[in-house]
Amino acid sequence: MTGPGTAPVPPSKGGRWIRHWDPENETFWKETGEKVARRNLFFSVLSEHIGFSIWTLWSVLVLFMGPEYGLTPADKFMLTSMVTLVGAVVRVPYTFAVAIFGGRNWTIISASLLLVPTVAAFAVMEPGTSFATFLLVGLLAGIGGGNFASSMTNINAFFPLRKKGWALGLNAGGGNIGVPVIQLAALAIIGASGGPRVLLGIYIPLIVVAAVLAALFMDNIENVKNDTGAAKDAARDPDTWIMSFLYIGTFGSFIGYSFAFGQVLTNQFGRTPLEAAYVTFIGPLLGSLIRPLGGWMADKYGGARITLWNYVGMGAATAVLISASMEKSLALFTVAFVVLFVLTGIGNGSTFKMIPGIFQNKALAKGLKGEAAAAHGRRLSGASMGLIGAVGALGGVGINLAFRQSFLSYGSGTGAFVAFLAFYAVCFLVTWAVYLRRTAPRVPVTTATSEAEPQLSYARV
């Protein structure tokens, strides 16, 4: 049995099962844990990155689908909405798959599953294919959205609480960047007069590489066991659903706008697919790159504070979008949309930092200390992340459906942006009322407990 101040021999790079894992122990972390955690983080990001690319594949493919495909703008918004929906729903089982199969093992499986929607799209992507067939194949691509949930749950277990904001932000940001990467690849292929099958042909071998590298270099943590009780406890906790609501505002916006941006430019401003592709990647790229910064800022200043003021910025950017949309100013519209993407990235990082802090705070309030408190926090935060990620992704469905209805009713996206502005205002109020209105801990603690184990104020989650 390994002592509390010693570091066990790290597992082989072949990566099987780690029996002892205590990242909160500083000696263990410095001598063994950090190196192993960073290695798993890197290859987790690679697999999640490709998963995001496949999930958002149809936001790119619809740009290739000209009049010869026989699809209306409403058809395309419906198609991307349903892909987003599947990606949201599968996040729940993907979260718990880590505990059943192990983080390494499930990464191999989930990466390999991405071959199914990619090969299917390669087979049907041509004029004359029915909308129903496109919709069915598009639904398969939704499984790419599940990789985020399993990856975040897995990485959450590897890092200590003080590093979670940075680690989860980097993990999610590296995954999110799969959105602009596939858009850039599409831009290059469209510019070279290539077809959609060229894009799909590039990703098929990349999926195989990601699965093989996960098998070679990742690890499973043995004490991350299947715990259906954690899922039930997380589902009963009101903070899970409050954070789900706030994550709709940040990640739901990011993924929804990623799917819709190109279509808004082509339908409202008359841009060609190539002209749209030149700018659609910029917002998701910056939003992905800045997500780790949002996590770092949350580590330093408190996730709730960063989230609160981030919603102010998102509301202001949306107000500019409404004005630009009404004035038909493409330049102002594009700049404001990119700024909004950046703010969704910051908010994604800060909200996900809040999750482990909230449950760690609750563990301390229960009187738990040290590793017992850390283990309780990891158990519930890991379980809640799947639910929060799933509900948050549903925001992307709402955004695409709102755009669809706005274009059907008004011929532009202005009506949708007004609805989004109202929603961000509600998110601001919820963040303030629940996590910042009271600066003292929500559960009183004794002086002795406070001296032995510092309490986390909810203003600092």
Side-chain angles (χ1 to χ4, degrees):
M1 183 75 179
T2 304
T6 61
V9 178
S12 68
K13 283 194 175 182
R16 293 297 178 265
W17 291 91
I18 300 175
R19 293 188 176 182
H20 174 85
W21 190 254
D22 184 10
E24 303 298 340
N25 182 312
E26 291 193 14
T27 301
F28 171 86
W29 179 251
K30 290 178 180 177
E31 295 183 12
T32 300
E34 186 172 15
K35 181 180 178 181
V36 174
R38 284 178 179 269
R39 170 161 47 80
N40 279 271
L41 173 62
F42 178 84
F43 291 103
S44 177
V45 166
L46 176 62
S47 176
E48 184 195 348
H49 171 93
I50 296 177
F52 260 98
S53 292
I54 300 307
W55 186 23
T56 54
L57 177 67
W58 284 90
S59 70
V60 171
L61 292 182
V62 293
L63 297 179
F64 286 97
M65 300 166 74
E68 68 274 16
Y69 283 83
L71 300 185
T72 67
D75 289 335
K76 293 180 180 180
F77 276 119
M78 177 59 70
L79 176 57
T80 53
S81 297
M82 293 302 100
V83 177
T84 313
L85 176 62
V86 174
V89 172
V90 299
R91 287 184 166 197
V92 177
Y94 267 57
T95 298
F96 305 116
V98 171
I100 299 171
F101 298 98
R104 165 191 174 268
N105 295 349
W106 182 248
T107 302
I108 298 168
I109 295 169
S110 61
S112 301
L113 286 173
L114 297 174
L115 288 169
V116 177
T118 312
V119 172
F122 188 92
V124 306
M125 196 65 198
E126 59 185 8
T129 302
S130 68
F131 175 68
T133 302
F134 282 131
L135 185 59
L136 177 61
V137 174
L139 293 177
L140 294 175
I143 63 172
N147 289 43
F148 168 86
S150 55
S151 181
M152 293 294 275
T153 300
N154 185 36
I155 295 306
N156 181 58
F158 273 98
F159 284 83
L161 180 65
R162 65 186 182 279
K163 298 283 188 179
K164 285 186 189 293
W166 171 85
L168 293 174
L170 189 62
N171 185 59
N176 291 171
I177 215 168
V179 179
V181 165
I182 199 168
Q183 291 173 340
L184 277 170
L187 171 60
I189 291 167
I190 294 174
S193 300
R197 283 183 168 142
V198 176
L199 178 66
L200 296 165
I202 291 172
Y203 271 87
I204 290 171
L206 290 178
I207 293 168
V208 175
V209 169
V212 170
L213 290 176
L216 292 175
F217 296 108
M218 290 187 71
D219 306 291
N220 304 301
I221 297 178
E222 192 169 280
N223 63 8
V224 180
K225 299 191 181 294
N226 186 24
D227 185 355
T228 55
K232 294 176 181 177
D233 290 344
R236 284 194 292 261
D237 195 300
D239 283 294
T240 296
W241 301 107
I242 295 170
M243 290 308 302
S244 296
F245 180 80
L246 297 181
Y247 200 54
I248 288 174
T250 59
F251 181 75
S253 297
F254 173 85
I255 197 65
Y257 294 147
S258 295
F259 273 97
F261 191 16
Q263 295 186 73
V264 172
L265 290 177
T266 56
N267 293 322
Q268 184 167 335
F269 291 94
R271 300 295 92 182
T272 66
L274 182 58
E275 290 170 336
Y278 270 121
V279 296
T280 52
F281 75 91
I282 299 173
L285 176 63
L286 295 179
S288 302
L289 290 175
I290 207 166
R291 181 164 181 161
L293 177 62
W296 175 84
M297 291 169 66
D299 283 338
K300 187 171 184 179
Y301 301 108
R305 287 194 183 96
I306 300 301
T307 300
L308 182 82
W309 290 109
N310 195 68
Y311 276 125
V312 174
M314 290 177 70
T318 305
V320 174
L321 278 172
I322 293 171
S323 175
S325 181
M326 295 177 67
E327 296 295 328
K328 296 181 172 55
S329 173
L330 176 60
L332 182 60
F333 184 88
T334 303
V335 170
F337 220 141
V338 170
V339 170
L340 186 55
F341 265 113
V342 170
L343 293 169
T344 65
I346 292 174
N348 285 338
S350 63
T351 51
F352 247 75
K353 161 61 183 177
M354 291 171 67
I355 298 166
I358 288 168
F359 288 105
Q360 176 80 353
N361 189 30
K362 290 192 168 188
L364 294 172
K366 288 177 180 288
L368 299 175
K369 301 178 182 178
E371 174 56 25
H376 180 84
R378 283 198 301 269
R379 173 178 177 265
L380 288 183
S381 62
S384 69
M385 280 180 180
L387 296 173
I388 293 169
V391 176
L394 287 174
V397 182
I399 281 178
N400 277 272
L401 290 177
F403 275 128
R404 179 179 185 270
Q405 188 58 48
S406 185
F407 275 99
L408 285 173
S409 300
Y410 309 110
S412 76
T414 305
F417 286 121
V418 171
F420 303 153
L421 177 59
F423 183 77
Y424 297 147
V426 175
C427 288
F428 171 88
L429 291 173
V430 170
T431 305
W432 174 79
V434 178
Y435 298 116
L436 286 168
R437 184 164 56 93
R438 300 169 181 169
T439 57
R442 282 162 63 173
V443 180
V445 294
T446 65
T447 302
T449 302
S450 299
E451 292 173 353
E453 195 74 36
Q455 292 287 330
L456 297 178
S457 166
Y458 264 52
R460 297 291 300 167
V461 299

